[in-house]
Coordinates of all heavy atoms in Angstrom, one line a residue:
M1 N 108.0 104.4 126.6 CA 107.2 104.6 125.4 C 108.0 104.4 124.2 O 109.1 104.8 124.0 CB 106.7 106.1 125.5 CG 105.6 106.4 124.5 SD 104.8 108.0 124.8 CE 105.8 109.0 123.8
K2 N 107.3 103.7 123.2 CA 108.0 103.4 121.9 C 108.2 104.7 121.1 O 107.3 105.6 121.0 CB 107.1 102.5 121.1 CG 107.7 102.0 119.9 CD 106.9 101.0 119.1 CE 107.5 100.7 117.8 NZ 106.6 99.9 117.0
R3 N 109.4 104.8 120.6 CA 109.7 106.0 119.8 C 109.1 105.8 118.3 O 109.1 104.7 117.8 CB 111.2 106.1 119.7 CG 111.6 107.5 120.1 CD 113.0 107.8 120.1 NE 113.3 108.7 119.0 CZ 113.2 110.0 119.1 NH1 112.9 110.5 120.2 NH2 113.5 110.8 118.1
S4 N 108.7 106.9 117.8 CA 108.1 106.9 116.5 C 109.2 106.7 115.4 O 110.3 107.2 115.6 CB 107.3 108.2 116.2 OG 106.8 108.2 114.9
R5 N 108.8 106.1 114.3 CA 109.8 106.0 113.2 C 109.8 107.4 112.4 O 110.8 107.6 111.6 CB 109.3 105.0 112.2 CG 109.3 103.6 112.7 CD 109.0 102.6 111.6 NE 107.6 102.9 111.1 CZ 107.1 102.4 110.0 NH1 107.8 101.6 109.3 NH2 105.9 102.7 109.6
F6 N 108.9 108.2 112.7 CA 108.8 109.5 111.9 C 109.0 110.6 112.9 O 108.5 110.6 114.0 CB 107.4 109.6 111.3 CG 107.0 108.5 110.4 CD1 106.3 107.4 110.8 CD2 107.4 108.5 109.1 CE1 105.9 106.4 109.9 CE2 107.1 107.5 108.2 CZ 106.4 106.4 108.6
N7 N 109.7 111.6 112.4 CA 109.9 112.9 113.2 C 108.8 113.8 112.8 O 107.9 113.6 111.9 CB 111.3 113.5 113.0 CG 111.6 113.8 111.5 OD1 110.7 114.0 110.8 ND2 112.8 113.9 111.2
E8 N 108.7 115.0 113.5 CA 107.7 115.9 113.3 C 107.6 116.4 111.8 O 106.5 116.6 111.3 CB 107.8 117.1 114.2 CG 107.5 116.8 115.7 CD 108.8 116.3 116.4 OE1 109.9 116.4 115.9 OE2 108.6 115.8 117.5
E9 N 108.7 116.7 111.2 CA 108.7 117.1 109.8 C 108.0 116.1 108.9 O 107.2 116.5 108.0 CB 110.1 117.5 109.3 CG 110.8 118.6 110.1 CD 111.6 118.2 111.2 OE1 111.9 117.0 111.3 OE2 112.1 119.0 112.0
Q10 N 108.4 114.8 109.1 CA 107.8 113.8 108.2 C 106.3 113.7 108.5 O 105.6 113.5 107.5 CB 108.5 112.5 108.5 CG 110.0 112.5 108.0 CD 110.7 111.3 108.5 OE1 110.5 110.7 109.6 NE2 111.7 110.8 107.7
I11 N 105.9 113.7 109.7 CA 104.5 113.6 110.1 C 103.7 114.7 109.4 O 102.6 114.5 108.8 CB 104.3 113.6 111.6 CG1 104.9 112.3 112.2 CG2 102.8 113.7 111.9 CD1 104.9 112.3 113.7
I12 N 104.2 115.9 109.5 CA 103.5 117.1 108.9 C 103.5 116.9 107.4 O 102.5 117.2 106.7 CB 104.2 118.4 109.3 CG1 103.9 118.6 110.8 CG2 103.6 119.6 108.5 CD1 104.7 119.7 111.4
G13 N 104.5 116.4 106.8 CA 104.5 116.1 105.3 C 103.5 115.1 105.0 O 102.8 115.3 103.9
I14 N 103.3 114.1 105.8 CA 102.3 113.1 105.5 C 100.9 113.7 105.6 O 100.0 113.4 104.8 CB 102.5 111.9 106.5 CG1 103.8 111.1 106.2 CG2 101.3 110.9 106.4 CD1 104.2 110.1 107.2
L15 N 100.7 114.5 106.6 CA 99.4 115.1 106.8 C 99.1 116.1 105.6 O 98.0 116.2 105.1 CB 99.3 115.9 108.1 CG 99.4 115.1 109.4 CD1 99.4 116.0 110.6 CD2 98.2 114.1 109.4
K16 N 100.1 116.8 105.1 CA 99.9 117.7 104.0 C 99.6 116.9 102.7 O 98.8 117.4 101.8 CB 101.1 118.6 103.8 CG 101.2 119.6 104.9 CD 102.3 120.6 104.5 CE 102.5 121.6 105.6 NZ 101.4 122.6 105.8
E17 N 100.1 115.7 102.5 CA 99.8 114.9 101.4 C 98.3 114.6 101.4 O 97.6 114.7 100.4 CB 100.5 113.5 101.4 CG 101.9 113.6 101.0 CD 102.6 112.2 101.0 OE1 101.9 111.2 100.8 OE2 103.8 112.1 101.2
Q18 N 97.7 114.2 102.6 CA 96.3 113.9 102.7 C 95.5 115.2 102.4 O 94.4 115.1 101.8 CB 96.0 113.3 104.0 CG 94.6 112.7 104.1 CD 93.6 113.7 104.8 OE1 94.0 114.7 105.4 NE2 92.4 113.4 104.6
E19 N 96.0 116.3 102.9 CA 95.2 117.6 102.7 C 95.2 118.0 101.3 O 94.3 118.7 100.8 CB 95.8 118.7 103.6 CG 95.6 118.5 105.1 CD 96.4 119.5 105.9 OE1 97.1 120.4 105.3 OE2 96.3 119.4 107.1
A20 N 96.3 117.6 100.5 CA 96.4 118.0 99.1 C 95.4 117.2 98.2 O 95.2 117.5 97.1 CB 97.8 117.7 98.6
G21 N 94.7 116.2 98.8 CA 93.7 115.5 98.1 C 93.8 114.0 98.0 O 93.0 113.3 97.4
M22 N 95.0 113.5 98.4 CA 95.2 112.1 98.4 C 94.3 111.4 99.4 O 94.1 111.9 100.5 CB 96.6 111.8 98.7 CG 97.1 110.4 98.3 SD 98.9 110.4 98.4 CE 99.2 108.7 98.0
A23 N 93.8 110.2 99.1 CA 92.9 109.5 100.1 C 93.7 109.1 101.3 O 94.9 108.7 101.2 CB 92.3 108.3 99.4
T24 N 93.0 109.1 102.4 CA 93.7 108.8 103.7 C 94.2 107.4 103.7 O 95.3 107.1 104.1 CB 92.7 108.9 104.9 OG1 92.1 110.3 104.9 CG2 93.3 108.7 106.2
A25 N 93.4 106.4 103.2 CA 93.9 105.0 103.1 C 95.1 104.9 102.2 O 96.0 104.1 102.6 CB 92.7 104.1 102.6
D26 N 95.2 105.6 101.1 CA 96.4 105.6 100.3 C 97.6 106.1 100.9 O 98.7 105.6 100.8 CB 96.1 106.3 99.0 CG 95.0 105.6 98.1 OD1 94.8 104.4 98.3 OD2 94.4 106.4 97.3
V27 N 97.4 107.2 101.7 CA 98.5 107.8 102.4 C 99.1 106.9 103.4 O 100.3 106.7 103.6 CB 98.1 109.2 103.0 CG1 99.2 109.7 103.9 CG2 97.8 110.2 101.9
C28 N 98.1 106.3 104.2 CA 98.5 105.3 105.2 C 99.3 104.1 104.7 O 100.3 103.7 105.2 CB 97.3 104.9 106.0 SG 96.6 106.2 107.0
R29 N 98.8 103.6 103.6 CA 99.4 102.5 102.9 C 100.8 102.8 102.4 O 101.7 102.0 102.6 CB 98.5 101.9 101.8 CG 98.9 100.6 101.3 CD 98.0 100.1 100.2 NE 96.6 100.1 100.5 CZ 95.7 101.0 100.0 NH1 96.1 101.8 99.0 NH2 94.4 101.0 100.3
K30 N 100.9 104.0 101.8 CA 102.2 104.4 101.2 C 103.3 104.5 102.3 O 104.4 104.2 102.1 CB 102.0 105.8 100.6 CG 103.2 106.4 100.0 CD 102.9 107.7 99.3 CE 104.2 108.4 98.9 NZ 103.9 109.7 98.3
H31 N 102.9 105.0 103.5 CA 103.9 105.3 104.5 C 103.9 104.2 105.6 O 104.8 104.2 106.5 CB 103.6 106.6 105.2 CG 103.8 107.8 104.2 ND1 105.0 108.2 103.8 CD2 102.9 108.5 103.6 CE1 104.9 109.2 103.0 NE2 103.6 109.4 102.8
G32 N 103.0 103.2 105.5 CA 103.1 102.1 106.4 C 102.6 102.4 107.8 O 103.2 101.9 108.8
V33 N 101.6 103.2 107.9 CA 101.0 103.5 109.2 C 99.5 103.1 109.2 O 98.9 103.1 108.2 CB 101.2 105.0 109.6 CG1 102.6 105.4 109.7 CG2 100.5 105.9 108.6
S34 N 99.0 102.9 110.4 CA 97.5 102.6 110.5 C 96.7 103.9 110.4 O 97.2 105.0 110.6 CB 97.2 101.9 111.8 OG 97.4 102.8 112.9
T35 N 95.4 103.7 110.1 CA 94.6 104.9 110.1 C 94.4 105.5 111.5 O 94.3 106.8 111.6 CB 93.2 104.6 109.5 OG1 92.7 103.5 110.2 CG2 93.3 104.2 108.0
A36 N 94.5 104.7 112.5 CA 94.4 105.2 113.9 C 95.6 106.1 114.2 O 95.4 107.2 114.8 CB 94.3 104.1 114.9
T37 N 96.7 105.7 113.8 CA 97.9 106.5 114.0 C 97.8 107.8 113.2 O 98.2 108.9 113.7 CB 99.2 105.7 113.5 OG1 99.3 104.5 114.3 CG2 100.5 106.6 113.7
F38 N 97.3 107.7 111.9 CA 97.2 108.9 111.1 C 96.3 109.9 111.8 O 96.6 111.1 111.9 CB 96.7 108.5 109.7 CG 96.4 109.7 108.8 CD1 97.5 110.3 108.1 CD2 95.2 110.3 108.8 CE1 97.3 111.4 107.3 CE2 95.0 111.4 108.0 CZ 96.1 111.9 107.2
Y39 N 95.1 109.5 112.3 CA 94.2 110.4 112.9 C 94.7 110.9 114.2 O 94.4 112.1 114.6 CB 92.8 109.8 113.0 CG 92.1 109.7 111.7 CD1 91.9 108.5 111.1 CD2 91.8 110.9 111.0 CE1 91.2 108.4 109.8 CE2 91.2 110.8 109.7 CZ 90.9 109.6 109.2 OH 90.3 109.5 107.9
K40 N 95.5 110.1 114.9 CA 96.1 110.7 116.2 C 97.1 111.8 115.8 O 97.2 112.8 116.5 CB 96.9 109.5 116.9 CG 97.4 109.9 118.3 CD 98.0 108.9 119.1 CE 98.3 107.6 118.5 NZ 99.1 106.7 119.3
W41 N 97.9 111.6 114.8 CA 98.8 112.6 114.3 C 98.1 113.8 113.9 O 98.5 114.9 114.1 CB 99.7 112.1 113.1 CG 100.7 111.1 113.4 CD1 101.2 110.7 114.7 CD2 101.4 110.3 112.5 NE1 102.2 109.8 114.5 CE2 102.3 109.5 113.2 CE3 101.4 110.2 111.1 CZ2 103.2 108.6 112.6 CZ3 102.3 109.4 110.5 CH2 103.2 108.6 111.2
K42 N 96.9 113.6 113.2 CA 96.2 114.7 112.7 C 95.6 115.6 113.8 O 95.6 116.8 113.7 CB 95.0 114.2 111.8 CG 94.3 115.3 111.0 CD 93.4 114.8 110.0 CE 92.8 115.9 109.2 NZ 92.0 115.4 108.1
S43 N 95.2 114.9 114.9 CA 94.7 115.7 116.0 C 95.8 116.4 116.7 O 95.5 117.5 117.3 CB 94.0 114.7 117.0 OG 94.9 113.9 117.7
R44 N 97.0 115.9 116.7 CA 98.1 116.5 117.4 C 98.8 117.6 116.5 O 99.1 118.7 117.0 CB 99.1 115.5 117.8 CG 100.2 116.1 118.6 CD 101.0 115.0 119.3 NE 102.1 115.7 120.1 CZ 102.9 115.0 120.8 NH1 102.8 113.8 121.0 NH2 103.8 115.7 121.5
Y45 N 99.1 117.2 115.3 CA 99.9 118.1 114.4 C 99.1 118.8 113.3 O 99.6 119.5 112.5 CB 101.0 117.3 113.8 CG 102.0 116.7 114.7 CD1 102.0 115.4 115.0 CD2 102.9 117.5 115.4 CE1 102.9 114.8 115.9 CE2 103.8 117.0 116.3 CZ 103.8 115.7 116.5 OH 104.7 115.1 117.4
G46 N 97.8 118.6 113.3 CA 96.9 119.2 112.2 C 97.0 120.7 112.2 O 96.7 121.3 113.3
G47 N 97.3 121.3 111.1 CA 97.3 122.7 111.0 C 98.7 123.4 111.4 O 98.8 124.6 111.4
L48 N 99.6 122.6 111.9 CA 100.9 123.1 112.3 C 101.9 123.1 111.2 O 101.8 122.3 110.3 CB 101.5 122.2 113.5 CG 100.8 122.3 114.8 CD1 101.6 121.4 115.8 CD2 100.8 123.6 115.4
E49 N 102.8 124.1 111.2 CA 103.9 124.1 110.3 C 105.1 123.4 111.1 O 105.0 123.2 112.3 CB 104.3 125.5 110.0 CG 103.2 126.2 109.2 CD 102.9 125.6 107.8 OE1 103.9 125.1 107.2 OE2 101.8 125.6 107.4
V50 N 106.2 123.2 110.3 CA 107.3 122.5 110.9 C 107.9 123.3 112.0 O 108.3 122.7 113.1 CB 108.4 122.2 109.8 CG1 109.6 121.6 110.4 CG2 107.8 121.3 108.7
S51 N 108.1 124.6 111.9 CA 108.7 125.4 113.0 C 107.8 125.4 114.2 O 108.3 125.4 115.3 CB 108.9 126.8 112.5 OG 107.6 127.4 112.1
E52 N 106.5 125.4 114.0 CA 105.6 125.3 115.2 C 105.7 124.0 115.9 O 105.6 123.9 117.1 CB 104.1 125.6 114.7 CG 103.9 127.0 114.2 CD 102.6 127.2 113.5 OE1 102.0 126.1 113.1 OE2 102.1 128.3 113.4
A53 N 105.8 122.9 115.1 CA 105.9 121.6 115.7 C 107.2 121.5 116.5 O 107.2 120.9 117.6 CB 105.9 120.5 114.6
R54 N 108.3 122.1 116.0 CA 109.6 122.1 116.8 C 109.4 122.8 118.1 O 109.9 122.4 119.1 CB 110.7 122.7 115.9 CG 111.2 121.8 114.8 CD 112.3 122.4 114.1 NE 112.7 121.6 113.0 CZ 113.2 122.1 111.8 NH1 113.3 123.4 111.7 NH2 113.5 121.3 110.8
R55 N 108.7 123.9 118.0 CA 108.5 124.8 119.2 C 107.6 124.0 120.2 O 107.9 124.0 121.4 CB 107.8 126.1 118.8 CG 107.5 127.0 119.9 CD 108.7 127.7 120.4 NE 108.3 128.7 121.4 CZ 109.0 128.8 122.6 NH1 110.1 128.2 122.8 NH2 108.5 129.7 123.5
L56 N 106.6 123.3 119.7 CA 105.8 122.5 120.6 C 106.6 121.4 121.3 O 106.4 121.2 122.5 CB 104.6 121.9 119.7 CG 103.7 120.9 120.5 CD1 102.9 121.7 121.5 CD2 102.8 120.2 119.5
K57 N 107.4 120.7 120.5 CA 108.3 119.7 121.1 C 109.2 120.3 122.2 O 109.4 119.7 123.3 CB 109.1 119.0 120.0 CG 110.0 117.9 120.5 CD 109.2 116.7 121.0 CE 110.1 115.6 121.3 NZ 109.5 114.5 122.1
A58 N 109.8 121.4 121.9 CA 110.7 122.1 122.9 C 109.9 122.4 124.1 O 110.4 122.2 125.3 CB 111.4 123.3 122.3
L59 N 108.7 123.0 124.0 CA 107.9 123.3 125.1 C 107.5 122.1 126.0 O 107.5 122.2 127.2 CB 106.7 124.1 124.7 CG 107.0 125.5 124.2 CD1 105.7 126.1 123.6 CD2 107.5 126.4 125.3
E60 N 107.2 121.0 125.3 CA 106.8 119.8 126.0 C 108.0 119.2 126.8 O 107.8 118.8 127.9 CB 106.3 118.7 125.0 CG 104.9 119.1 124.5 CD 104.5 118.1 123.4 OE1 105.3 117.3 122.9 OE2 103.3 118.1 123.1
D61 N 109.2 119.3 126.2 CA 110.4 118.8 126.9 C 110.7 119.7 128.1 O 111.0 119.2 129.2 CB 111.6 118.8 126.0 CG 111.5 117.8 124.9 OD1 110.7 116.8 125.0 OD2 112.2 117.9 123.9
E62 N 110.6 121.0 127.9 CA 110.8 121.9 129.1 C 109.8 121.7 130.2 O 110.1 121.7 131.4 CB 110.7 123.4 128.6 CG 111.0 124.4 129.7 CD 110.9 125.8 129.2 OE1 110.6 126.0 128.0 OE2 111.2 126.7 130.0
N63 N 108.5 121.5 129.8 CA 107.5 121.3 130.8 C 107.7 120.0 131.6 O 107.6 120.0 132.8 CB 106.1 121.2 130.1 CG 105.0 121.2 131.0 OD1 105.1 121.8 132.1 ND2 103.8 120.7 130.6
A64 N 108.2 118.9 130.9 CA 108.5 117.7 131.6 C 109.6 117.9 132.6 O 109.6 117.3 133.7 CB 108.8 116.6 130.5
K65 N 110.6 118.6 132.2 CA 111.8 118.9 133.0 C 111.3 119.7 134.3 O 111.7 119.3 135.4 CB 112.9 119.6 132.3 CG 114.2 119.8 133.1 CD 115.3 120.3 132.2 CE 115.0 121.7 131.8 NZ 116.2 122.4 131.1
L66 N 110.5 120.7 134.1 CA 110.0 121.5 135.2 C 109.1 120.7 136.1 O 109.2 120.8 137.4 CB 109.3 122.7 134.7 CG 110.1 123.8 134.0 CD1 109.3 124.8 133.4 CD2 111.2 124.4 134.9
K67 N 108.3 119.8 135.6 CA 107.5 118.9 136.4 C 108.3 118.0 137.3 O 108.1 117.8 138.5 CB 106.5 118.1 135.6 CG 105.3 118.9 135.1 CD 104.4 118.0 134.3 CE 103.2 118.7 133.8 NZ 102.3 117.8 133.1
K68 N 109.4 117.5 136.7 CA 110.3 116.6 137.5 C 111.0 117.4 138.6 O 111.1 116.9 139.7 CB 111.4 116.0 136.5 CG 112.3 115.1 137.2 CD 113.3 114.5 136.2 CE 114.2 113.5 136.9 NZ 115.3 113.0 136.0
L69 N 111.5 118.6 138.3 CA 112.1 119.4 139.3 C 111.1 119.8 140.4 O 111.5 119.7 141.6 CB 112.6 120.7 138.7 CG 113.9 120.6 137.8 CD1 114.2 121.9 137.1 CD2 115.1 120.2 138.6
L70 N 109.9 120.1 140.1 CA 108.9 120.4 141.1 C 108.6 119.2 142.0 O 108.5 119.3 143.2 CB 107.6 120.8 140.4 CG 106.4 121.1 141.4 CD1 106.8 122.3 142.3 CD2 105.2 121.4 140.6
A71 N 108.5 118.0 141.4 CA 108.3 116.8 142.2 C 109.4 116.5 143.1 O 109.2 116.1 144.3 CB 108.1 115.6 141.2
E72 N 110.6 116.7 142.7 CA 111.8 116.5 143.5 C 111.8 117.5 144.7 O 112.1 117.1 145.8 CB 113.1 116.6 142.7 CG 113.3 115.4 141.8 CD 114.5 115.6 140.9 OE1 115.1 116.7 140.9 OE2 114.8 114.6 140.1
A73 N 111.5 118.7 144.4 CA 111.5 119.8 145.4 C 110.4 119.5 146.5 O 110.6 119.7 147.7 CB 111.2 121.2 144.8
M74 N 109.2 119.0 146.0 CA 108.1 118.7 146.9 C 108.5 117.5 147.8 O 108.2 117.5 149.0 CB 106.9 118.4 146.2 CG 106.2 119.7 145.5 SD 104.8 119.3 144.5 CE 103.6 118.9 145.8
L75 N 109.2 116.5 147.2 CA 109.7 115.4 148.0 C 110.7 115.8 149.0 O 110.6 115.4 150.2 CB 110.3 114.3 147.1 CG 110.8 113.0 147.7 CD1 109.6 112.3 148.4 CD2 111.4 112.2 146.7
D76 N 111.6 116.6 148.7 CA 112.6 117.2 149.6 C 111.9 117.9 150.7 O 112.3 117.8 151.9 CB 113.6 118.1 148.9 CG 114.6 117.3 148.0 OD1 114.6 116.1 148.1 OD2 115.2 118.0 147.2
N77 N 111.0 118.7 150.4 CA 110.2 119.5 151.4 C 109.5 118.6 152.4 O 109.5 118.8 153.6 CB 109.2 120.4 150.7 CG 108.6 121.5 151.6 OD1 109.0 121.6 152.7 ND2 107.7 122.2 151.1
A78 N 108.8 117.5 151.8 CA 108.1 116.6 152.7 C 109.1 115.9 153.6 O 108.8 115.7 154.8 CB 107.4 115.6 151.8
I79 N 110.3 115.5 153.2 CA 111.2 114.8 154.0 C 111.7 115.8 155.1 O 111.8 115.4 156.3 CB 112.4 114.3 153.1 CG1 112.0 113.2 152.2 CG2 113.6 113.9 154.0 CD1 113.0 112.8 151.2
L80 N 112.0 117.0 154.8 CA 112.4 118.0 155.8 C 111.3 118.2 156.8 O 111.6 118.3 158.0 CB 112.8 119.3 155.1 CG 114.1 119.3 154.3 CD1 114.3 120.6 153.6 CD2 115.3 118.9 155.2
K81 N 110.1 118.3 156.4 CA 109.0 118.5 157.4 C 108.9 117.3 158.3 O 108.6 117.4 159.5 CB 107.7 118.7 156.6 CG 107.5 120.1 156.1 CD 106.1 120.2 155.5 CE 106.0 121.6 154.9 NZ 104.6 121.8 154.2
D82 N 109.1 116.1 157.7 CA 109.0 114.9 158.5 C 110.1 114.8 159.6 O 109.9 114.5 160.7 CB 109.0 113.7 157.6 CG 108.8 112.4 158.3 OD1 107.8 112.3 159.2 OD2 109.5 111.4 158.0
V83 N 111.3 115.2 159.2 CA 112.4 115.2 160.1 C 112.3 116.2 161.2 O 112.5 116.0 162.3 CB 113.8 115.4 159.3 CG1 114.9 115.6 160.2 CG2 114.1 114.1 158.4
A84 N 111.8 117.4 160.8 CA 111.6 118.5 161.7 C 110.5 118.2 162.8 O 110.5 118.7 163.9 CB 111.3 119.8 161.0
S85 N 109.5 117.4 162.4 CA 108.4 117.2 163.3 C 108.7 116.1 164.3 O 108.0 115.9 165.3 CB 107.2 116.8 162.5 OG 107.4 115.5 161.9
K86 N 109.7 115.3 164.1 CA 110.1 114.2 165.0 C 110.7 114.8 166.3 O 111.5 115.8 166.2 CB 111.0 113.2 164.4 CG 110.3 112.4 163.3 CD 111.2 111.3 162.8 CE 110.5 110.5 161.7 NZ 111.4 109.4 161.2
K87 N 110.5 114.1 167.4 CA 111.1 114.5 168.7 C 112.4 113.8 168.8 O 112.5 112.5 168.6 CB 110.2 114.2 169.8 CG 109.0 115.1 169.8 CD 108.1 114.8 171.1 CE 106.9 115.7 171.0 NZ 106.1 115.5 172.2
W88 N 113.5 114.4 169.1 CA 114.7 113.8 169.3 C 114.8 113.3 170.7 O 115.4 113.1 171.5 CB 115.9 114.7 168.9 CG 115.8 115.1 167.5 CD1 115.2 116.2 166.9 CD2 116.3 114.3 166.4 NE1 115.3 116.1 165.5 CE2 116.0 115.0 165.2 CE3 117.0 113.1 166.2 CZ2 116.3 114.6 163.9 CZ3 117.4 112.7 165.0 CH2 117.0 113.4 163.9

């Protein structure tokens, strides 16, 4: 997945500019993003503060790590069941 040029603090700052009354098209042009990207950010980060966005990112990272660990454990479990069911 392509990494964003903007971090969470910058994205929230851009959203706050639009909320302050600046036109969406002007904000997008100023920062060099498409309106689709802007509205995707708004759906994800709209109403969040910087500290909340950091917490959200930390929770998403932790969730991804836990999902990976669960998948590995399930794979190990399936391999052990397969080996145990075979007749020697």
